[in-house]
């Protein structure tokens, strides 16, 4: 009779044993587990600590007695294997209950020793109230410590799955929580921009978040621990939870001279065999193939461990089943949000030398968890990473509801080697409470196809910020939202044309510049992009995710709601007007509030409920700009509530509209010094991102004339005007101290010595900065100047056109 020893239980080991028994009734199967429990729900441990899971017994999935009764498997807990003798095919076991040692022989061996928490050599890390959460013993210690000592301040070190789940559950118990993470983001499997959504929500839940902070030292003082950060900050804590990641428990394999990778993972083949043909390994302890990249990696997750255990058992009885690698699919609850990912992220691709828009593409879209008209719809932010041939590399999704089924759909398509075109074609179930006719996964496919077909191009918040900072004059940021939306929020220096007016006002935009349209979530801005691209605009980049996503990327500077609300107690008998905006996505709630508030009497209070996560942040700004009072805001379940009092002296909406920022000037003079001043002012305004129009009339037209004589047929009077007037900027004279041209020459020489741009350089710079040079057609007719005589790039227009620009400006000069 064959005998199989399995070192370790929990996910990989217990699954291997149960499957092996189902395949081979006669085999002797022994599990040697050094802990007290053979199989427990380690993913549920934080929720037991937080009292979400009430019973400790529900965490214990199998007992040795049950395994013996159901499967005839010999389970020995608190029995630690201390050595593997490959040549003799036996192991040395220590009974931890009495300290005795014995030899156990095997025909085949499975190593399922899992992993252990990382504990770096930080001074003071072994203090009494510092603990890692990894197993039932740790859980019992933390649970008992909380009940005994009733800590009020807790610090969680590490922003991975365990760290975030512990932060949430300790916060739920009423403790003040600080979360410290060495990297610049929590949840390493997702990209930074998606993690910002988590950062925003964590801080909204009043957790102190310390990103890019390492721990220098732990100091014990008066039964408390002072967490000393590298930058000198100190956090006083009654309890410290360490969640710094895990390392594989591979010392047994290493001492047995099995092949190990540089990270300590046991190297196995496609059949999960180690370098010894009679020894297999599964779970956190092994190196696996990355299903997408086909390289080697370590993925310590329960799902892959269970699947490996099943395949390992089948191969132990003679099958040749292949483990094809892991996608790393994962999901976690982080306060109000669910975060999930599958495949690889951008950081992993960039670490391999791959570049965005050259080797791969990304999209970020905002959708609803189900039909918006059905109550309870909540926003989903979805990111997809794919190749130019449509291959899907990875996906990341964050939202309140429906995240898990969308990530699982992506994972399934990826496992079956589907493409973005398959996402578009998936026929998924639809009913209003569950989804939309075009599911968010379908939308990922649609948008990805649009990108590949060059129907849309995106710019991401960090790219946008870099562009604005480094090249402020090369683009126009186009706000296509409605007036009330712009009143609540708009990007600085953006140009406002509501989408419904874009067709009639499209000529206000410069076709030579990059146009960046934006709206709340990106749908209307895509429509705007299609209009622009089909009307001769060759450079159009939609702001990915809209302002909802952009604001989350800048949540620290934009989150003003706490300061703007009075947090008054609303009397229970106070009569309230109720407005239900649940299911409406940005800007829907604000638009509805604006509409309803107009119908209220002074001092009436409107109670608004909304599921949009950004609503509370936006309503504070709206109240501030309209003169209403945000009395209170709160969150209950998945809904945000705002109580708004209509004030007597409300501000009319038109007062909140942005003051025009354009600059216009009439250049009447043809004197060198005055034209110089005009272009210096124009370039300064353009450098600040302001639209500038210079309207040249009468003598000012001479500055725009070409230096070279143009052979054009003219009347006698027109020829005389041409001879008497200076031809071009080089011939202009000073208004004073010209001294027969000597003063003008001296001025030009001084300017050169002082490194001041010449008039010709200033004119060229102005044109490159987008300054609009307009020649008055009426003055041209009077003075006999033709279009052919003017420098390139000058527009011809009348007074009406100039006055149109003047109405959009807050500065108008006559020079």
């Amino acid at each position: 009779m064959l005998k199989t020893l399995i070192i370790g239980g929990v996910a990989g080991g217990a699954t291997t044993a149960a499957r092996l028994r189902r395949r081979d009734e006669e085999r002797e199967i022994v599990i040697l587990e050094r802990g007290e429990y053979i199989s427990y729900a380690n993913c549920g441990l934080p929720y037991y600590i937080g009292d979400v899971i009430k019973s400790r017994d529900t965490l214990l999935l199998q007992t040795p007695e049950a395994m013996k009764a159901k499967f005839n498997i010999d389970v020995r807990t608190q029995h630690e294997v201390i050595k593997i003798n490959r040549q003799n095919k036996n192991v040395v076991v220590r009974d931890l209950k009495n300290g005795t040692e014995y030899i156990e022989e095997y025909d085949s061996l499975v190593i399922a020793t899992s992993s252990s928490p990382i504990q770096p050599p930080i001074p003071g890390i072994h203090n009494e109230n510092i603990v890692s959460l990894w197993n039932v013993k740790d859980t019992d210690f933390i649970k008992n410590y909380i009940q005994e000592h009733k800590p009020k301040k807790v610090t969680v070190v590490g922003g991975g799955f365990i760290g975030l789940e512990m932060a949430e559950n300790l916060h739920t118990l009423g403790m003040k929580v600080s979360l410290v993470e060495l990297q610049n983001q929590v949840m390493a499997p997702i990209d930074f921009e998606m993690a910002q959504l988590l950062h925003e929500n964590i801080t909204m839940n009043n957790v102190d978040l310390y990103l890019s902070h390492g721990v220098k030292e732990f100091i014990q003082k008066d039964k408390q621990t002072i967490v000393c950060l590298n930058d000198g900050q100190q956090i006083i804590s009654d309890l410290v939870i360490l969640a710094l990641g895990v390392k594989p428990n591979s010392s047994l394999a290493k001492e047995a001279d099995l092949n190990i990778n540089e990270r300590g993972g046991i190297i196995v083949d496609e059949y999960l065999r180690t370098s010894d043909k009679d020894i297999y390994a599964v779970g956190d302890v092994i190196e696996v193939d990355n299903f997408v990249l086909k390289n080697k990696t370590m993925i310590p997750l329960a799902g892959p461990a269970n699947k490996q255990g099943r395949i390992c058992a089948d191969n132990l009885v003679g099958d040749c089943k292949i483990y094809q690698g892991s996608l790393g699919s994962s999901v976690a609850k982080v306060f109000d949000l669910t975060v999930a990912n599958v495949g690889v992220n951008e950081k992993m691709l960039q670490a391999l030398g791959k570049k965005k828009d050259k080797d791969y593409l990304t999209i970020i879209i905002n959708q609803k968890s189900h039909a918006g008209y059905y109550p309870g719809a909540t926003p989903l932010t979805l990111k997809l990473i794919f190749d130019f041939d449509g291959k899907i590399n990875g996906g990341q999704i964050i939202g309140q509801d429906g995240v898990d089924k969308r990530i699982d759909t992506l994972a399934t398509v990826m496992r079956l080697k589907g493409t973005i075109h398959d996402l578009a074609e998936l026929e998924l179930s639809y009913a209003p409470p569950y989804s939309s006719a075009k599911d968010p996964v379908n939308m990922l496919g649609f948008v990805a196809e649009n990108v590949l077909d060059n129907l849309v191009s995106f710019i991401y918040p960090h790219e946008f910020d870099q562009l604005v900072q480094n090249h402020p004059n090369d683009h126009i940021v186009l706000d296509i939202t409605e007036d009330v939306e712009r009143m609540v929020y708009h990007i600085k220096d953006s140009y406002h044309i509501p989408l419904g007016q874009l067709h009639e006002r499209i000529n206000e935009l410069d076709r030579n510049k990059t146009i960046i349209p934006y709206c709340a979530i990106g749908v209307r801005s895509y429509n705007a992009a299609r209009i622009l691209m089909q009307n001769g605009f060759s450079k159009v980049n939609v702001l990915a995710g809209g302002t909802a996503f952009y604001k989350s990327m800048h949540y620290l500077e934009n989150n003003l709601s706490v300061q703007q609300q009075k947090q008054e107690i609303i009397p229970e008998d106070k009569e309230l007007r109720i407005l239900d905006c649940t299911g409406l996505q940005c800007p829907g709630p604000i638009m509805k509030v604006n509409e309803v508030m107009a119908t209220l009497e002074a001092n009436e209070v409107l109670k608004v409920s909304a599921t949009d996560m950004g609503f509370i942040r936006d309503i504070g700004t709206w109240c501030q700009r309209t003169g209403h009072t945000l009395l209170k805001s709160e969150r209950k379940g998945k809904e945000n509530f705002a109580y708004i009092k209509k004030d007597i002296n409300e501000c009319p909406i038109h007062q909140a509209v942005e003051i025009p920022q354009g600059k216009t000037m009439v250049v009447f003079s043809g004197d060198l010094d005055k034209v110089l001043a005009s272009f210096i002012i124009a370039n300064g305004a353009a450098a600040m991102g302001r639209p500038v129009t210079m309207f040249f009339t009468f003598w000012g037209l001479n500055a725009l004339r070409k230096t070279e004589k143009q052979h054009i047929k003219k009347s006698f009077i027109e020829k005389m005007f041409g001879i008497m007037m200076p031809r071009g900027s080089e011939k202009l004279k000073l208004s004073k101290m010209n001294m027969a041209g000597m003063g003008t020459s001296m001025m030009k020489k001084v300017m050169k010595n002082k490194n001041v741009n010449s008039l010709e350089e200033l004119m060229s710079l102005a044109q490159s900065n987008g300054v609009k040079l307009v020649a008055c057609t009426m003055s041209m007719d009077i003075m006999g100047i033709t279009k052919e005589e003017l420098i390139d790039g000058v527009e011809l227009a009348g007074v009406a056109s100039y006055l149109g620009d003047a109405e959009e400006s807050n500065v108008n000069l006559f020079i």
Side-chain angles (χ1 to χ4, degrees):
M1 181 173 61
L2 294 175
K3 180 178 180 180
T4 297
L5 294 184
I6 301 173
I7 307 175
V10 196
T15 298
T16 302
R19 175 67 173 177
L20 184 56
R21 173 57 74 223
R22 287 190 287 266
R23 291 297 307 272
D24 187 344
E25 179 63 23
E26 301 299 324
R27 184 181 300 243
E28 183 181 356
I29 304 173
V30 180
I31 298 179
L32 301 165
E33 167 60 50
R34 69 178 177 180
E36 296 180 47
Y37 304 96
I38 181 60
S39 182
Y40 57 89
N42 51 359
C43 296
L45 301 181
Y47 299 101
Y48 171 63
I49 293 172
D51 282 341
V52 177
I53 297 173
K54 301 297 182 182
S55 173
R56 180 180 182 275
D57 292 341
T58 60
L59 298 172
L60 307 177
L61 306 179
Q62 285 285 0
T63 65
E65 295 77 18
M67 290 286 280
K68 180 66 175 178
K70 294 177 182 178
F71 302 108
N72 190 26
I73 294 173
D74 182 3
V75 179
R76 306 174 195 173
T77 57
Q78 292 187 279
H79 281 66
E80 181 181 12
V81 175
I82 58 175
K83 186 176 183 181
I84 299 172
N85 296 311
R86 292 169 51 194
Q87 294 79 7
N88 300 326
K89 296 185 73 170
N90 65 41
V91 299
V92 179
V93 186
R94 178 179 294 142
D95 186 337
L96 299 178
K97 287 175 281 191
N98 56 34
T100 61
E101 296 181 4
Y102 62 92
I103 302 294
E104 194 74 36
E105 296 183 342
Y106 65 83
D107 295 298
S108 56
L109 179 68
V110 179
I111 301 175
T113 45
S114 190
S115 54
S116 297
I118 294 173
Q119 284 202 343
I122 301 173
I125 198 169
H126 298 297
N127 290 345
E128 179 186 356
N129 60 348
I130 300 176
V131 62
S132 298
L133 174 63
W134 190 242
N135 53 33
V136 177
K137 182 179 178 181
D138 299 332
T139 306
D140 290 339
F141 176 86
I142 297 171
K143 188 85 171 177
N144 293 334
Y145 192 93
I146 291 172
Q147 291 173 349
E148 271 187 51
H149 299 276
K150 296 179 173 50
K152 295 180 179 179
K153 299 178 181 178
V154 182
T155 298
V156 178
V157 183
F161 290 96
I162 297 294
L164 291 172
E165 289 167 355
M166 281 304 301
E168 177 185 351
N169 280 280
L170 294 171
H171 175 268
T172 302
L173 292 176
M175 302 175 203
K176 176 58 181 174
V177 178
S178 299
L179 180 61
V180 178
E181 169 55 49
L182 179 61
Q183 304 302 319
N184 67 343
Q185 67 167 85
V186 300
M187 198 59 73
I190 66 174
D191 288 310
F192 175 78
E193 58 203 355
M194 295 293 282
Q196 282 284 75
L197 300 174
L198 302 181
H199 301 158
E200 178 183 36
N201 193 254
I202 290 168
T203 56
M204 284 174 62
N205 280 279
N206 297 316
V207 170
D208 293 333
L209 183 59
Y210 296 85
L211 296 173
S212 301
H213 282 80
V215 177
K216 180 180 180 182
E217 183 181 10
F218 297 105
I219 299 175
Q220 191 80 15
K221 184 177 181 181
D222 299 330
K223 296 184 179 181
Q224 290 183 315
T225 292
I226 301 174
V227 182
C228 304
L229 305 182
N230 286 336
D231 66 351
Q233 294 187 75
Q234 295 185 344
I235 308 170
I236 298 176
S237 308
D238 301 313
L239 176 66
V240 177
I241 305 294
L242 300 179
L244 300 170
V246 296
K247 58 183 179 181
N249 293 329
S250 58
S251 58
L252 270 177
K254 186 175 182 181
E255 290 167 6
D257 203 26
L258 296 174
N259 290 343
I260 306 292
N261 69 16
E262 59 183 14
R263 294 174 61 184
I266 300 174
I267 298 174
V268 295
D269 65 13
E270 57 194 350
Y271 306 107
L272 300 172
R273 283 186 309 223
T274 68
S275 50
D276 185 316
K277 66 180 180 62
D278 294 318
I279 301 179
Y280 291 72
V282 297
D284 294 4
V285 75
I286 70 169
E287 172 188 87
V288 298
D289 288 334
N290 182 300
F291 186 83
V292 176
L293 300 175
K294 306 305 178 186
N295 61 359
K296 301 297 182 181
T297 188
M298 304 283 290
I299 300 180
L301 294 172
N306 276 282
K307 294 167 184 64
Q308 293 157 16
R310 180 182 175 88
I311 292 172
C312 178
D314 288 344
N315 290 338
L316 282 166
V317 298
D319 291 355
C320 292
K321 293 187 177 178
I322 294 174
Y323 183 69
Q324 297 184 4
S326 176
L327 282 166
S329 306
S330 65
V331 65
K333 182 179 181 295
V334 182
F335 291 91
D336 305 298
L337 298 174
T338 297
V339 54
N341 76 284
V342 63
V344 301
N345 55 40
E346 281 198 79
K347 294 176 292 187
M348 296 169 68
L349 292 174
Q350 290 167 3
L352 295 172
K354 297 183 181 293
K355 296 184 178 180
K356 182 181 171 186
D357 297 329
K358 179 181 179 183
D359 300 305
Y360 68 90
L361 296 162
T362 67
I363 56 171
I364 291 178
I365 64 172
N366 281 307
Q367 292 290 301
K368 294 174 187 171
S369 57
H370 60 247
Y373 56 82
Y374 187 89
T378 56
L380 288 172
T381 302
L382 304 94
K383 177 173 182 176
L384 190 70
I385 305 170
F386 56 101
D387 288 347
F388 285 87
D389 61 1
K391 174 191 172 185
I392 303 169
N393 290 319
Q396 301 161 34
I397 307 177
I398 295 178
Q400 295 172 264
D401 189 33
V403 171
D404 52 343
K405 75 173 184 177
R406 270 67 187 222
I407 207 72
D408 288 343
T409 304
L410 276 181
T412 303
V413 172
M414 292 176 67
R415 175 63 70 169
L416 298 176
K417 300 182 180 179
T419 67
I420 57 113
H421 307 293
D422 295 301
L423 296 182
E425 295 172 7
L426 283 177
E427 187 174 338
L428 303 171
S429 60
Y430 159 59
Y434 305 107
S435 184
S436 301
K438 292 182 287 188
D439 189 87
V441 173
N442 293 134
M443 294 302 299
L444 279 175
F446 296 154
V447 176
E449 285 185 333
N450 286 341
V451 171
L452 290 180
D453 293 339
N454 295 317
L455 295 178
V456 66
S457 178
F458 291 101
I459 185 169
Y460 291 85
H462 69 281
E463 298 169 337
F464 174 82
D465 291 340
Q466 291 173 1
L467 179 67
V468 169
Q469 181 178 352
N470 299 329
H471 305 282
N473 302 309
D474 294 349
H475 60 274
I476 297 173
V477 182
L478 179 61
D479 180 350
I480 55 95
T481 66
E482 300 302 317
D483 290 341
V484 66
E485 294 177 77
R486 186 170 176 82
M487 179 178 60
V488 172
Y489 178 83
H490 65 270
I491 295 176
K492 183 181 177 182
D493 297 330
S494 56
Y495 193 76
H496 186 211
I497 303 179
L499 180 61
Q501 301 176 25
L502 185 56
H503 281 101
E504 61 186 70
R505 295 176 59 187
I506 199 167
N507 289 327
E508 296 177 19
L509 304 173
D510 187 344
R511 284 176 167 78
N512 296 316
K513 291 191 174 186
T514 298
I515 311 297
I516 304 174
Y518 74 80
C519 64
I521 62 171
V523 176
R524 288 173 292 169
S525 49
Y526 166 67
N527 292 328
R530 295 307 304 144
I531 294 171
L532 293 166
M533 293 171 72
Q534 294 178 87
N535 279 275
F537 290 82
S538 59
K539 296 177 288 185
V540 182
N541 293 323
V542 173
L543 182 62
T547 55
F549 190 66
Y550 184 80
K551 283 185 283 187
S552 290
M553 300 304 100
H554 299 81
Y555 71 94
L556 289 174
E557 58 214 66
N558 291 327
N559 190 10
L560 305 175
S561 59
V562 175
Q563 292 84 355
Q564 293 166 345
Q565 55 187 278
K566 296 181 178 298
Q567 292 298 340
E568 292 186 5
I569 297 175
I570 312 296
E572 293 185 7
D573 59 348
K574 176 77 174 179
E575 186 175 346
L576 305 175
R577 288 281 295 274
I578 307 297
L579 176 60
D580 184 358
C581 294
T582 57
L584 293 180
Q585 200 162 350
C586 181
I590 290 292
M591 302 288 281
K592 281 288 186 183
V593 169
N594 185 68
E595 177 184 327
V596 173
M597 286 297 288
T599 68
L600 267 60
E601 299 293 331
N603 293 320
E604 275 195 89
V605 175
L606 180 67
K607 178 183 178 182
V608 188
S609 59
T611 46
D612 175 48
M613 292 295 289
F615 171 70
I616 294 300
R617 174 185 57 206
D618 289 345
I619 197 62
T621 304
W622 183 86
C623 288
Q624 185 184 52
R625 296 189 178 183
T626 56
H628 299 300
T629 302
L630 178 60
L631 298 176
K632 177 184 175 182
S633 69
E634 59 185 352
R635 183 167 180 80
K636 295 180 180 179
K638 294 182 179 179
E639 293 185 45
N640 297 297
F641 293 88
Y643 299 81
I644 308 163
K645 184 179 75 172
K646 180 164 183 173
D647 286 347
I648 299 174
N649 300 315
E650 63 176 289
C651 303
I653 286 180
H654 65 78
Q655 290 185 6
V657 175
E658 181 186 14
I659 297 173
Q661 296 296 310
K663 317 297 177 188
T664 54
M665 59 183 73
V666 178
V667 184
F668 179 86
S669 172
D671 296 326
L672 174 63
D673 46 343
K674 296 176 183 178
V675 176
L676 268 171
S678 302
F679 276 99
I680 290 171
I681 295 170
N683 278 304
M688 296 173 65
R690 309 306 188 197
V692 180
T693 298
M694 301 179 72
F695 188 75
F696 293 80
T697 184
F698 286 97
W699 315 117
L701 288 169
N702 291 316
L704 302 181
R705 292 179 69 189
K706 294 177 180 175
T707 304
E708 307 80 20
K709 183 177 180 180
Q710 305 297 308
H711 299 286
I712 300 167
K713 186 176 180 180
K714 291 186 177 184
S715 66
F716 176 77
I717 297 296
E718 290 172 339
K719 287 181 179 179
M720 290 300 295
F721 262 117
I723 292 171
M724 291 187 290
M725 291 189 302
R727 188 186 296 125
S729 58
E730 294 181 2
K731 301 296 183 179
L732 300 184
K733 308 297 183 184
L734 291 175
S735 61
K736 295 183 179 180
M737 296 178 57
N738 181 45
M739 298 182 292
M742 185 172 63
T744 300
S745 297
M746 290 173 62
M747 172 66 75
K748 291 181 178 180
K749 187 174 189 320
V750 170
M751 288 173 62
K752 184 176 181 180
N753 292 340
K754 299 289 186 180
N755 293 316
V756 176
N757 288 333
S758 66
L759 175 57
E760 292 71 29
E761 291 171 333
L762 288 171
M763 292 173 68
S764 176
L765 184 62
Q767 287 184 295
S768 65
N769 284 339
V771 174
K772 187 191 297 185
L773 306 183
V774 181
C776 175
T777 51
M778 181 272 293
S779 300
M780 290 173 63
D781 287 339
I782 292 176
M783 303 180 71
I785 298 175
T786 66
K787 178 182 179 181
E788 290 77 11
E789 292 179 279
L790 299 181
I791 61 177
D792 295 334
V794 176
E795 298 180 21
L796 307 184
V799 174
S801 176
Y802 164 73
L803 291 176
D805 285 345
E807 286 180 358
E808 296 293 324
S809 70
N810 62 352
V811 172
N812 186 37
L813 303 176
F814 188 93
I815 300 176

